[in-house]
Amino acid sequence: QGAKIKNAVPKTDFRFEDIGGQERAKGELKEALDFLIHKDETAHYGIRPLKGILLTGPPGTGKTLMAKAAANYTNSAFVAASGSQFVEMYVGVGAQRIRELFKEVKTLAEKNNQDSGIVFIDEIDVLGGKREGSQHREYDQTLNQLLTEMDGMSTSEKPRILIMAATNRMDMLDDALLRPGRFDRKISVDLPDKKARKQILLIHTQNKPLAEEVDIDRVAQETYGFSGAQIESVTNEAAIYAFREEAKEITPDHFSLAIDKVMMGEKTDRETNA
Ligand code: ATP
């Protein structure tokens, strides 16, 4: 019990430009967010206001970054929680936490004079997994509370609240969450292609002393199948190798070692240096 949900960030400076690649996902997300910004125009056309956006895709592809950038783009208050924080809570505590999250984002928006707020729930599958039998009753209350909050969200009331959620197990989600009027926008955030990997590498090497011989195109080539998070790891590990050797700059060799390390995951440093 008592898992803390206190990740309120008054303002996030994270921008879409800080996310490498993901052009399609960013475009789809921005279009959806424009509905939030231009709510009077959309109301004119009788467009049903957007309440929930679900980001789906493998781990480490930048879903959390997208949510933060969305808050910045729309000048929204931002509050985040993870589905796993609701596990093993006493009956009722999870539901209470959901209520608090919504209260928190409203308070934050009012404090900062913002017209909108975004509630981001990572790993929504843990909280909103398919309901089977009665053994998950404590999660049910949490999920039901989330659905109640979503259904009760008024579109004329200020601040307007948007729920963003992320999952890499879309198949696990309870159908109730996917009904129209709930998470009715789904955006897939995929593993980066070579061009995107290069952009992510450039973002994460900006502040690092790279040797001239480092060929970022080549590193992008060699990190085929890596997620953004793994690419970030490569840049960090490469810097650590350089630091350990007290090298002035990060060399292509450091990158090779780092790629191996991230690819192997568990491989020990001794083995990698052998
Ligand atoms: P999970 O599903 O595991 O929660 P996620 O999709 O939410 O992962 P993030 O937490 O957004 O992934 O990304 C983890 C880290 O990986 C980021 O903090 C960032 O350093 C790096 N990263 C991932 N994708 C990108 C990207 N497209 N551009 C730049 N950095 C990225």
Side-chain angles (χ1 to χ4, degrees):
Q1 44 122 347
K4 268 183 58 197
I5 300 167
K6 262 274 168 264
N7 299 329
V9 188
K11 184 168 181 353
T12 155
D13 288 329
F14 205 85
R15 299 159 310 151
F16 281 114
E17 295 84 67
D18 301 322
I19 303 175
Q22 304 296 3
E23 298 309 327
R24 181 198 39 77
K26 283 195 268 189
E28 283 177 28
L29 180 53
K30 280 193 204 163
E31 195 216 43
L33 294 170
D34 287 339
F35 281 102
L36 193 75
I37 296 171
H38 304 293
K39 58 177 189 299
D40 295 336
E41 289 93 319
T42 54
H44 172 78
Y45 288 99
I47 296 172
R48 176 158 43 78
L50 184 67
K51 288 187 176 177
I53 299 176
L54 183 67
L55 305 174
T56 65
T61 44
K63 297 185 286 298
T64 305
L65 303 183
M66 293 269 192
K68 287 184 178 167
N72 192 23
Y73 182 75
T74 53
N75 187 24
S76 298
F78 184 71
V79 168
S82 170
S84 57
Q85 290 172 310
F86 295 90
V87 178
E88 285 174 23
M89 278 189 169
Y90 285 123
V91 176
V93 177
Q96 176 63 27
R97 288 276 189 257
I98 293 280
R99 275 195 291 273
E100 282 169 13
L101 267 181
F102 280 80
K103 251 193 231 145
E104 209 177 314
V105 79
K106 278 184 198 148
T107 312
L108 206 58
E110 275 156 23
K111 200 177 112 201
N112 300 330
N113 251 325
Q114 290 161 309
D115 286 343
S116 52
I118 292 180
V119 174
F120 175 62
I121 304 179
D122 201 1
E123 299 184 79
I124 184 98
D125 45 289
V126 180
L127 156 83
K130 285 198 165 63
R131 297 184 260 196
E132 295 155 21
S134 59
Q135 77 263 43
H136 297 308
R137 211 180 303 142
E138 62 272 45
Y139 301 161
D140 274 3
Q141 284 204 4
T142 311
L143 176 57
N144 284 336
Q145 187 58 42
L146 178 63
L147 298 176
T148 305
E149 295 284 352
M150 288 188 93
D151 293 346
M153 271 164 20
S154 148
T155 46
S156 49
E157 202 180 294
K158 273 194 186 172
R160 275 201 55 194
I161 309 295
L162 175 73
I163 324 233
M164 291 186 70
T167 181
N168 36 53
R169 295 300 313 271
M170 172 104 138
D171 55 309
M172 293 280 290
L173 285 190
D174 198 289
D175 294 338
L177 278 171
L178 303 173
R179 253 174 239 151
R182 289 175 181 164
F183 288 101
D184 45 12
R185 274 285 172 129
K186 290 164 210 75
I187 298 175
S188 74
V189 186
D190 303 317
L191 286 175
D193 60 13
K194 190 180 161 217
K195 192 171 151 222
R197 292 198 299 277
K198 181 176 176 183
Q199 285 176 11
I200 299 170
L201 281 164
L202 289 174
I203 289 172
H204 290 288
T205 50
Q206 252 170 26
N207 59 347
K208 296 183 172 64
L210 292 196
E212 225 175 274
E213 307 83 75
V214 173
D215 179 353
I216 289 293
D217 273 301
R218 197 166 158 192
V219 181
Q221 182 102 39
E222 287 170 350
T223 45
Y224 175 84
F226 281 36
S227 68
Q230 285 173 314
I231 292 169
E232 189 277 334
S233 239
V234 165
T235 63
N236 194 54
E237 291 295 335
I240 290 173
Y241 281 116
F243 171 79
R244 281 201 199 129
E245 284 178 11
E246 296 180 35
K248 255 189 54 217
E249 291 174 322
I250 307 171
T251 66
D253 281 350
H254 295 139
F255 272 98
S256 299
L257 289 170
I259 290 171
D260 284 350
K261 175 155 188 193
V262 173
M263 208 177 314
M264 302 292 177
E266 70 286 2
K267 200 167 175 181
T268 66
D269 291 339
R270 204 162 357 99
E271 280 167 329
T272 349
N273 286 331

